[in-house]
Every structure is written in C-alpha cells, then in structure tokens.
Amino acid sequence: MDKLIITGGVRLDGEIRISGAKNSALPILAATLLADGPVTVCNLPHLHDITTMIELFGRMGIEPVIDEKLSVEVDPRTIKTLIAPYELVKTMRASILVLGPMVAHFGYAEVALPGGCAIGSRPVDLHIRGLEALGATIEVEGGYIKAKAPEGGLRGGTFFFDIVSVTGTENIMMAAALAKGRTVLENAAREPEVVDLANCLIAMGAKIQGAGTDTIVIEGVERLGGTRYNVMPDRIETGTYLVAAAITGGRVKVKDVDPTTLEAVLSKLQESGAEVTTGRDWIELNMHGKRPRAVNLRTAPYPAFPTDMQAQFIAMNTVAEGTGTVIETVFENRFMHVYEMTRMGAQIQVEGNTAIVTGVQRLKGAPVMATDLRASASLVLAALVADGDTLIDRIYHIDRGYECIEEKLQLLGAKIRRVPG
Ligand code: EPU
C-alpha cells in the first residue's frame, strides 16, 4: 500500500489547474447507459473511482473507448448483462447510479446492495422507493437489488425525498428521463453536480426543468441520443487546495474552476481571514502569512456548507486562532480524521455530531492513517503545517478523489512524496 510522506512548514505559493468533478463524472457516465448512440464524456478526472465505473461497464459488455485526453466514449448498445456485481459495488458505492438508467432503458437491472461505509450507514432506500414510484417492481434478494420495469416501461410519478439525497435524486432523474409522462421530484438535491447531470441529459434530448431547485420536473421522452459533454470542475478539490493555502498562510490560484459553486466555502475562508479574489473561472486565495482564525460551521445539503469540506476545515481550525465548532448533519460518523489529528497534537473534543476544535500553535508530524477520502485530504492539510514528517498510510482513499495530489502540491512548493509500500 502506497504511503505519503509530508514535511510540514512550507508556505504554499503558486497556481494549479482543477480537474473535472468526480461526483459529476460518475452520474454522467451512468447516464450514458440511457442513450441509443455513443456519448462522449470529456474532462473526466484521472481517478480510481472513474476507472472502477469503466471496469463496471466492461463487465456489462460495453467497451468504453478512452482517448489520450481521458475522454471516454460509451456506446451502450453493446450491453450484454444487466448486472452490477458485488466485487465492484463494494469498492465504489456510486455504482448504484447504474440502477435507474438500466431499468429505464433495458427494463431490468440487478445491482449489488452497497454495504455500510466508513462515514455512516448510508442506506439506499430512497433510490428503491423512487424507482417504485415510477412503477418498477423491486426485490432485494441475496444481497442484490433486482429491479424490473412494468410492461411498456417505467411511467412518470411524483416522489418526495424525506431526506435530501444527491445520488438518490440523480438516479430517479435519470430513470424518469425515459419514463412515460411527467415525473415530479420534490425535496430534490440542489447540488451543482445534479445540475451538471441534468444539463448532460438535456444535451442527450431529455426534458428537465428545475434542476438546482428542490423541485425537478421531468417530461419523459421516447429515446435519448448521443452527445459530447464536458464534466464541470471539481468544487471539493478546489476548496481543498484553497484550504491548503489558508492553513499554510500562503497564496494559491486555482484555475478552470466555477466560483459560483463554492459560495459557502469561500465565505468561511474569508471569515478565517483570507483574502479571496475570483474571476469567471479562477479563484485566488492569499493569507499574507497570517494564521487563520477559527470558524464555526454546520454542514447541510447545498447551498449550505458541504459535508465533503468538513474534514478540511477541521484541519484548518486545529492550527487557527481561537475555538471553532463544527457540526456534521449529513453523515452520522464523519469524524474519523479527528482521532488521527489528535495524534498530531490537535485539541478536538467530539460530542455527538459536534467537534469543538481549539487551535494550537503547532501540530507535530506523526504516522497517521487515512480512513476515507475527505478524511485523508484533511490529514494531508494537517501534515502541511506540522513540524517534521507525517507519514500517511492507506492513501488509496485519496486516489479515489484527488487527481495527482502530490504533483499538484509539489507545484505549490509542498514537500510531499509517495512511497510505494
Ligand atoms: N440517505 C438515506 N437513504 C437513501 C440515500 C441517502 O437515508 O436512500 C441518507 C444518507 O445516509 C445520508 C444523507 O441521506 O445521511 C445524504 O446522503 P446522500 O444520498 O446525499 O449521499 P450520496 O448521494 O451517497 C453524495 C456524494 C458524497 C457526498 C454526499 C453528500 C457522490 C458519488 N457522492 O453521496 O461524496 O458526501 O453526496 O453531499 O456524489 C465524497 O466525494 O467524498 C463523498 C462521500
């Protein structure tokens, strides 16, 4: 297992390009299964989760064509089996995103039921109930979700999400695009990735209104065609590098980003004392060598503060001036990084879904272990300001969501290297 060794203490300075969004690329790849012709997806990030999705397609008999710029062309007409096997689903929960498109287009789908994960129990009941609202018959048997469309295909319906779910909204929106008649999704997720997926579906010929609001209305169409679509920039990767600048007192300009998708994060960074400047497709953060001030925050669905940035802000609070209270409302067990940071000298008290972080002058390097994707990013951030060396184990988690993290950080001046293990 590869490890990262980071020597802290360098004030980051420089410019980097942000990759395409993982959480947009995955549903968009799944959406290609709805088409009657080839769909080309561009600006895909080079990440392990993307490779897993492509491997899943391979298992189903579809051979995506990948070019040198990592654009992927998928022609779902060659599909042979409608099964997403457990070996792949257990490594990537987002595999559940093929459920809606397959049952809508091919009338049947069998997708392994994802288990719990490091950040919470993460059930998929809303995905199942949403598809049932469109007429699918669903049985869970032998650890698999077996979904069957009625004679004549799925039909439109109204579905209310009692909890806002990002991939739940995406799955049902994709299925509804090919259902007969009108579907109304209420209390839908408003995340920019949902909007990006809707724009891709619209480019394929779908009729969707209201993506980005909590009510999405989909008029089903007979067929969806091929298209070429560019995945949006990754707002969580963007935010992570901005925190890297803030925590080290440095200056970083991130390019090829969409500042409008980061309002809650940018406002918290400004509150911490950072100077933030934005252009159409770039953001520059300058901390002018200052120590950040601690910030209070509460995670919630978009447009509120994203749970996927919570761990990184805890890292910043560990060395900030003052005390910051961080409340996690989306997942029930998303504080695993706290215990690793404590090994580096951080002062954090966890009570239920609240972490109270009292900033210390300095963290100290230590061997630590990554437990999930964003937790591992937060340990990298803590290591950037810790005295001495930090050895981060189990970094396969980070490779699921951050393209070339060590190269990008090296470009900004960080002392970071990967050691094969
Ligand atoms: N939930 C249910 N039932 C369901 C679905 C969700 O109770 O059927 C609950 C979850 O347990 C959770 C809450 O609803 O408490 C919200 O979960 P959501 O469904 O929105 O999460 P997700 O769609 O599985 C996506 C991202 C996550 C991100 C969350 C929240 C993708 C592929 N994943 O997950 O990204 O944290 O939305 O914004 O889009 C990451 O990138 O590190 C990551 C975990």
Side-chain angles (χ1 to χ4, degrees):
M1 262 187 280
D2 288 4
K3 297 177 175 55
L4 285 176
I5 298 180
I6 299 170
T7 310
V10 179
R11 190 168 283 175
L12 298 190
D13 189 9
E15 292 186 10
I16 48 165
R17 186 193 163 265
I18 294 302
S19 307
K22 166 181 85 79
N23 289 349
S24 196
L26 292 171
I28 287 172
L29 283 172
T32 63
L33 296 174
L34 291 162
D36 276 349
V39 180
T40 304
V41 187
C42 312
N43 198 32
L44 281 174
H46 193 270
L47 295 175
H48 203 257
D49 275 8
I50 302 297
T51 319
T52 306
M53 191 62 114
I54 290 170
E55 196 184 332
L56 176 58
F57 282 8
R59 294 284 189 93
M60 298 191 301
I62 303 168
E63 288 304 333
V65 182
I66 307 174
D67 76 10
E68 68 287 354
K69 286 193 183 138
L70 207 78
S71 293
V72 171
E73 185 192 277
V74 183
D75 188 343
R77 287 173 297 188
T78 60
I79 198 159
K80 288 182 194 72
T81 74
L82 299 170
I83 302 173
Y86 181 59
E87 307 98 83
L88 288 176
V89 177
K90 75 176 182 202
T91 67
M92 187 183 69
R93 303 180 54 85
S95 314
I96 187 81
L97 285 164
V98 300
L99 181 67
M102 283 205 292
V103 72
H105 194 181
F106 306 109
Y108 185 76
E110 232 177 277
V111 177
L113 194 62
C117 91
I119 60 176
S121 59
R122 302 185 76 181
V124 289
D125 55 309
L126 295 167
H127 299 242
I128 293 177
R129 281 173 32 217
L131 288 174
E132 283 172 344
L134 303 187
T137 312
I138 300 190
E139 275 178 46
V140 178
E141 217 179 59
Y144 277 77
I145 305 169
K146 298 179 179 175
K148 198 166 178 277
E151 199 68 32
L154 296 180
R155 45 177 194 271
T158 295
F159 186 69
F160 179 86
F161 288 88
D162 10 270
I163 300 175
V164 177
S165 167
V166 178
T167 50
T169 301
E170 292 166 345
N171 230 340
I172 313 308
M173 180 169 76
M174 289 189 280
L178 276 187
K180 292 202 168 44
R182 169 184 289 210
T183 296
V184 181
L185 302 182
E186 283 167 0
N187 200 25
R190 290 181 278 169
E191 267 65 7
E193 292 76 12
V194 173
V195 179
D196 206 29
L197 170 65
N199 287 338
C200 176
L201 290 168
I202 291 166
M204 290 162 67
K207 293 194 176 139
I208 301 175
Q209 280 185 327
T213 74
D214 61 6
T215 306
I216 304 179
V217 180
I218 306 124
E219 291 290 346
V221 295
E222 282 278 308
R223 58 173 296 275
L224 292 169
T227 190
R228 197 178 167 85
Y229 193 80
N230 255 322
V231 171
M232 68 176 271
D234 196 310
R235 65 194 167 100
I236 306 301
E237 188 196 19
T238 307
T240 303
Y241 285 104
L242 294 177
V243 175
I247 199 171
T248 61
R251 180 203 70 95
V252 167
K253 183 171 183 180
V254 282
K255 294 185 298 189
D256 292 348
V257 304
D258 180 354
T260 62
T261 61
L262 277 135
E263 280 176 14
V265 170
L266 296 184
S267 103
K268 284 292 160 192
L269 285 167
Q270 280 167 326
E271 210 179 300
S272 79
E275 183 194 334
V276 177
T277 325
T278 60
R280 190 185 59 79
D281 63 353
W282 57 266
I283 304 172
E284 181 168 319
L285 183 142
N286 198 336
M287 206 66 190
H288 298 288
K290 285 182 307 203
R291 182 180 176 196
R293 285 193 295 272
V295 293
N296 299 325
L297 61 91
R298 183 175 186 277
T299 68
Y302 193 85
F305 190 90
T307 172
D308 289 344
M309 284 301 299
Q310 175 258 102
Q312 298 88 318
F313 271 72
I314 287 202
M316 188 173 80
N317 275 349
T318 63
V319 291
E321 216 179 294
T323 298
T325 301
V326 175
I327 305 175
E328 171 60 54
T329 77
V330 179
F331 291 110
E332 66 269 25
N333 183 31
R334 214 177 192 181
F335 281 141
M336 299 290 275
H337 42 284
V338 160
Y339 308 104
E340 298 301 302
M341 286 178 199
T342 307
R343 305 191 61 254
M344 301 171 73
Q347 280 187 22
I348 311 172
Q349 240 185 306
V350 174
E351 280 168 29
N353 68 347
T354 304
I356 301 160
V357 191
T358 305
V360 294
Q361 283 288 344
R362 312 219 49 91
L363 293 177
K364 293 191 178 57
V368 289
M369 199 172 71
T371 50
D372 72 75
L373 170 56
R374 307 304 167 187
S376 39
S378 74
L379 294 176
V380 170
L381 297 175
L384 289 173
V385 282
D387 291 337
D389 286 354
T390 298
L391 178 78
I392 308 181
D393 201 353
R394 303 204 179 165
I395 56 155
Y396 53 85
H397 288 294
I398 213 164
D399 295 330
R400 297 184 52 187
Y402 290 88
E403 181 175 78
C404 304
I405 188 159
E406 66 269 32
E407 285 87 344
K408 287 189 184 183
L409 282 171
Q410 278 161 3
L411 270 175
L412 300 174
K415 290 189 187 144
I416 175 170
R417 65 195 161 89
R418 184 180 288 251
V419 283

